[in-house]
Amino acid sequence: MSGLNLAQQEAVNYMQGPCLVLAGAGSGKTRVITHKIGRLIQTGVAAKRILAITFTNKAAAEMRERAKSLIGREAKEVVICTFHALGVRLLRQDGEALGLKAQFSILDSDDVTSILKDAGGTTDAATARQWQWAISLWKNMGLNAAQAEAQAKDDHERVTARIMARYEERLTAYQSVDFDDLISLPLKLLRDHEAVRRKWQELLGHVLVDEYQDTNATQYELLKLLVGDKGRFTAVGDDDQSIYGWRGATLDNLRRLPQDWPNLKVVKLEQNYRSTSAILRAANNVIQPNPKLFPKTLFSELGEGEPVRVVDCDNEEHEADRVVARIQSIRANGMGKEWKDFAVLYRANHQARIFEQALRKAQVPYKVSGGQSFFDRAEIRDLCAWLRLWVNNDDDPAFLRSITTPKRGIGHTTLQNLGTFAGKYKLSLFAALFSSSLGSVLPAKAVGSLHEFGRYVNDLEFRARRTEGAEDARAFLTEWLKDIGYEKHLYDSEESEKLAASRWTNVMEFCDWMAQRCGGQIDDTAGVSITSDKKNLLEVAQTIALLSTISEREKDQNVVTLSTLHASKGLEWPHVMLVGCVEGMLPFKLDDDDGKKGQANESILQRLQEERRLMYVGITRAQRSLAVSWTKRRKKGREMVAAQPSRFIAEMALDKATVKEDPREKLKALRAEFAKKSADAAAASAAAAAAGTP
Ligand code: ATP
Ligand code: MG
């Protein structure tokens, strides 16, 4: 119980029924979850009967670390994962009841786009992605194609709903699920199959959910079925930090909790342990204009601290220079020592580039968090397609990618005919390939090459299943890549040798990564696997699809973090710089593309409120210092246009006397940096002299 205040202790000690911890940023909500895991184990709940749900895989990994240091080895057994990883677990174990085989494939967003192109008869990716978006929202609301069509408001929606029906047929045929299915299918499973539901309800002793404000309707339904009538769960959240409404998250989940659970215990936390009073005041002021779902107060005992600064810049390059200068000056005056104490936060991914350039020029180490994931790289996706095909022969998208990468002389027409044939007999492409009547639609030579491919895949699958341990898996992967000539394929298809070489390095890294998991050295596969038993390659391959969403493979490096505001949720840094705070960026453009009359005002207002919460999230990431910067001019397409400071800067209601950062800061920083360098150099040569080396 040490390190918890009274309200936190109350939440941690209450185990008999549903509990909601509702509190502002930095008040120790996540800490309550970690400590409660420990407390539950202490009172005799078996670790494997505890389920903690986090918002990202990275947060899951972090929570596991904290739990480990709190309760030791037993923490390994606790299931800590995202809703999606939980969905995979449920479906792999019990999906058979839905007609899903245990080796089903998980499609990524690109696979979905191409299936939709096919289902909707278009070659235009943008159109397909619009359908994808709409279908995803429907699925998150718990609607199937028929229900979506029934509630469609116009022809466009009706058409989309019909395409959804065809899309769903294809997924079933491919024994594949998309990301939304990872929530909606487990929901269906528990809802329609009493035995399965009972099994899970008996298994789970307590369920804890972090970032509850960003759950969507289906996730809440799933939670309800998991915990049953006893309702042994703990949800923690902050309505002011709900920033995923655009993806279907709904604050209704918070609103409904007290109604659905009349015996709900609500705990409010009021002390913020993260930020100074100056920072907290700015945060409270910003969020003030939003309607209050639950009124909250938040105070800090960390002292007033440095005033929040507003940095006026001419343009983005200037802004980037000033960010670098600020980092250097804070380091020089001893307020922050480590690079990892700093974060630069922005609204949209593309804003990172200019800051990257400036940091590189100044030789400041950094990482871009939430950028392109390792698993999104073409070469890794190539390999994953092969692995998916071994695990699930019916995965048609994986089949098509494998059979054409690298090219093996099987042409488009052959594949098209195979596709038509498979469609006619309702077979997967792989099953169709071995059909005895395939010869009636394809020349013998084509059938021959298809058979060769099919046999090769069967052989690989057979051998992958028999790998034992890391070394064996590595040897197998190496041989396979040599067999298919993947390295040569990279060098043939890349324009520059340098690029090909870097792709090949990624491939090697991927093989290492797989091998380590086969050896059981790594047991945190994003919360999917909790044992450290050795696994064969096929078992490891089954968990990969899920990882493809993680961009966070990074270790705890000592570098400056560049991150979007969305990806910064739940995290904290001593020094935060919120950049690009201009109208049109933050709040993000509110006016265009929203033509629907009548609804427009309401939806603009809601979006503005969500942007304001985003600003609140950004401000509350800072522990000791916060600077907010804006540019007088900004790029809009190819043009430079005049820009206005974000309305949120005014809403922070900062003290006019202290607000502006001194423009001479840069000069001072350079001087200080120079002084520090000379001092370091002097110290180094003194040390060298003392050690007797020249
Ligand atoms: P967010 O809303 O941003 O997710 P949170 O409410 O989850 O924040 P935590 O991340 O759990 O807050 O805690 C914020 C910081 O305060 C952490 O550094 C945590 O270690 C510290 N903290 C939390 N509770 C206490 C406490 N009782 N005593 C000392 N430090 C605490
Ligand atoms: Mg938290």
Side-chain angles (χ1 to χ4, degrees), residues 26-31 210-211 236 241 274 569-571 621:
S27 56
K29 297 183 295 296
T30 304
R31 191 172 173 122
D210 199 2
E211 306 278 4
V236 314
Q241 292 187 71
R274 180 180 292 149
K569 202 166 77 145
L571 305 176
R621 298 310 96 198

Side-chain angles (χ1 to χ4, degrees), residues 501-572:
S502 102
R503 289 194 184 280
W504 181 245
T505 311
N506 288 338
V507 169
M508 293 286 95
E509 201 187 314
F510 177 74
C511 292
D512 278 346
W513 186 89
M514 290 287 294
Q516 277 177 356
R517 272 156 179 79
C518 289
Q521 288 141 301
I522 295 180
D523 61 7
D524 63 342
T525 323
V528 180
S529 107
I530 47 163
T531 59
S532 59
D533 295 342
K534 284 188 178 176
K535 293 199 193 78
N536 72 49
L537 201 53
L538 226 51
E539 287 169 324
V540 172
Q542 288 201 351
T543 63
I544 288 189
L546 195 67
L547 289 170
S548 56
T549 51
I550 323 177
S551 44
E552 298 88 3
R553 291 180 331 120
E554 63 230 17
K555 301 191 189 66
D556 199 15
Q557 308 147 312
N558 189 13
V559 297
V560 172
T561 299
L562 300 182
S563 169
T564 61
L565 289 161
H566 280 103
S568 75
K569 202 166 77 145
L571 305 176
E572 58 191 17

Side-chain angles (χ1 to χ4, degrees), residues 395-411:
D395 187 335
D396 283 358
F399 178 95
L400 288 173
R401 189 156 182 151
S402 313
I403 203 166
T404 51
T405 323
K407 296 249 175 309
R408 51 174 60 241
I410 296 177

Side-chain angles (χ1 to χ4, degrees), residues 163-382:
I163 292 169
M164 177 175 176
R166 271 178 258 154
Y167 168 72
E168 294 294 318
E169 273 167 24
R170 279 172 175 71
L171 291 203
T172 313
Y174 303 162
Q175 283 286 311
S176 298
V177 302
D178 64 21
F179 266 71
D180 303 312
D181 290 335
L182 291 178
I183 312 298
S184 58
L185 290 180
L187 176 62
K188 192 164 156 26
L189 178 67
L190 295 186
R191 191 185 278 155
D192 302 348
H193 299 269
E194 201 196 329
V196 180
R197 181 170 68 241
R198 220 176 305 125
K199 172 182 135 185
W200 283 90
Q201 289 180 352
E202 271 158 29
L203 174 77
L204 293 174
H206 204 96
V207 180
L208 306 109
V209 188
D210 199 2
E211 306 278 4
Y212 179 72
Q213 76 280 355
D214 275 322
T215 51
N216 63 35
T218 43
Q219 286 167 339
Y220 177 52
E221 291 306 314
L222 183 60
L223 175 68
K224 281 209 285 198
L225 291 178
L226 280 171
V227 299
D229 293 335
K230 289 202 200 89
R232 292 205 177 124
F233 71 87
T234 304
V236 314
D238 176 7
D239 47 315
D240 289 333
Q241 292 187 71
S242 145
I243 53 176
Y244 282 91
W246 55 281
R247 232 167 54 178
T250 168
L251 278 174
D252 279 344
N253 287 355
L254 261 180
R255 264 185 224 113
R256 283 172 47 188
L257 225 42
Q259 294 153 18
D260 291 357
W261 307 90
N263 61 338
L264 181 75
K265 180 172 185 70
V266 181
V267 177
K268 295 192 174 179
L269 309 176
E270 305 200 318
Q271 179 161 2
N272 168 300
Y273 290 93
R274 180 180 292 149
S275 314
T276 62
S277 298
I279 293 168
L280 205 56
R281 197 165 53 241
N284 287 338
N285 289 342
V286 158
I287 203 64
Q288 214 273 326
N290 270 15
K292 300 280 165 296
L293 190 55
F294 300 97
K296 280 182 297 237
T297 42
L298 211 52
F299 69 94
S300 159
E301 282 181 353
L302 297 175
E304 174 64 16
E306 282 287 298
V308 175
R309 302 288 186 185
V310 174
V311 185
D312 308 354
C313 312
D314 300 329
N315 52 37
E316 289 172 331
E317 282 77 16
H318 184 213
E319 186 178 33
D321 282 346
R322 292 198 66 176
V323 158
V324 174
R326 185 172 166 85
I327 294 175
Q328 288 170 334
S329 111
I330 290 176
R331 273 168 56 88
N333 69 26
M335 254 179 76
K337 289 204 190 71
E338 312 278 358
W339 296 119
K340 67 170 167 10
D341 289 348
F342 297 87
V344 181
L345 307 180
Y346 38 81
R347 177 67 178 81
N349 271 312
H350 68 82
Q351 290 173 280
R353 195 179 51 84
I354 289 178
F355 295 94
E356 279 192 71
Q357 285 165 351
L359 289 166
R360 218 176 273 175
K361 205 167 86 191
Q363 293 184 319
V364 175
Y366 68 87
K367 66 173 179 211
V368 183
S369 127
Q372 193 198 27
S373 145
F374 185 71
F375 293 93
D376 284 341
R377 296 176 196 280
E379 63 276 17
I380 305 303
R381 290 165 50 90
D382 283 346

Side-chain angles (χ1 to χ4, degrees), residues 412-635:
H412 186 65
T413 344
T414 304
L415 291 175
Q416 221 166 19
N417 288 338
L418 178 68
T420 318
F421 180 86
K424 189 162 151 204
Y425 295 102
K426 301 222 177 307
L427 297 168
S428 70
L429 293 170
F430 193 83
L433 162 173
F434 286 117
S435 160
S436 51
S437 47
L438 187 62
S440 60
V441 294
L442 277 173
K445 186 159 167 286
V447 174
S449 351
L450 286 173
H451 279 179
E452 194 193 331
F453 177 75
R455 277 196 299 268
Y456 182 51
V457 170
N458 278 338
D459 178 49
L460 288 171
E461 181 189 326
F462 180 82
R463 282 157 52 206
R465 201 184 296 284
R466 271 155 197 78
T467 55
E468 273 178 45
E471 280 323 304
D472 205 18
R474 198 190 315 271
F476 171 80
L477 289 169
T478 316
E479 194 192 320
W480 158 58
L481 288 171
K482 217 164 111 194
D483 267 1
I484 61 172
Y486 194 76
E487 189 176 7
K488 182 172 181 308
H489 160 76
L490 285 181
Y491 279 88
D492 289 347
S493 51
E494 280 312 332
E495 278 161 38
S496 85
E497 234 167 66
K498 207 168 136 209
L499 197 58
S502 102
R503 289 194 184 280
W504 181 245
T505 311
N506 288 338
V507 169
M508 293 286 95
E509 201 187 314
F510 177 74
C511 292
D512 278 346
W513 186 89
M514 290 287 294
Q516 277 177 356
R517 272 156 179 79
C518 289
Q521 288 141 301
I522 295 180
D523 61 7
D524 63 342
T525 323
V528 180
S529 107
I530 47 163
T531 59
S532 59
D533 295 342
K534 284 188 178 176
K535 293 199 193 78
N536 72 49
L537 201 53
L538 226 51
E539 287 169 324
V540 172
Q542 288 201 351
T543 63
I544 288 189
L546 195 67
L547 289 170
S548 56
T549 51
I550 323 177
S551 44
E552 298 88 3
R553 291 180 331 120
E554 63 230 17
K555 301 191 189 66
D556 199 15
Q557 308 147 312
N558 189 13
V559 297
V560 172
T561 299
L562 300 182
S563 169
T564 61
L565 289 161
H566 280 103
S568 75
K569 202 166 77 145
L571 305 176
E572 58 191 17
W573 293 271
H575 306 284
V576 168
M577 283 153 279
L578 261 174
V579 301
C581 296
V582 294
E583 285 291 308
M585 238 12 251
L586 185 65
F588 204 67
K589 49 177 190 269
L590 297 163
D591 40 5
D592 29 280
D593 71 42
D594 212 41
K596 287 191 202 135
K597 291 192 191 69
Q599 291 181 344
N601 285 341
E602 183 56 18
S603 87
I604 287 181
L605 187 63
Q606 280 175 5
R607 272 160 57 198
L608 174 63
Q609 288 168 355
E610 183 150 317
E611 294 291 309
R612 190 176 278 121
R613 293 193 290 265
L614 201 51
M615 182 75 178
Y616 175 77
V617 168
I619 297 172
T620 53
R621 298 310 96 198
Q623 296 172 303
R624 298 179 58 195
S625 89
L626 173 68
V628 180
S629 64
W630 70 284
T631 57
K632 292 172 188 153
R633 299 170 67 70
R634 70 179 185 107
K635 280 203 196 82

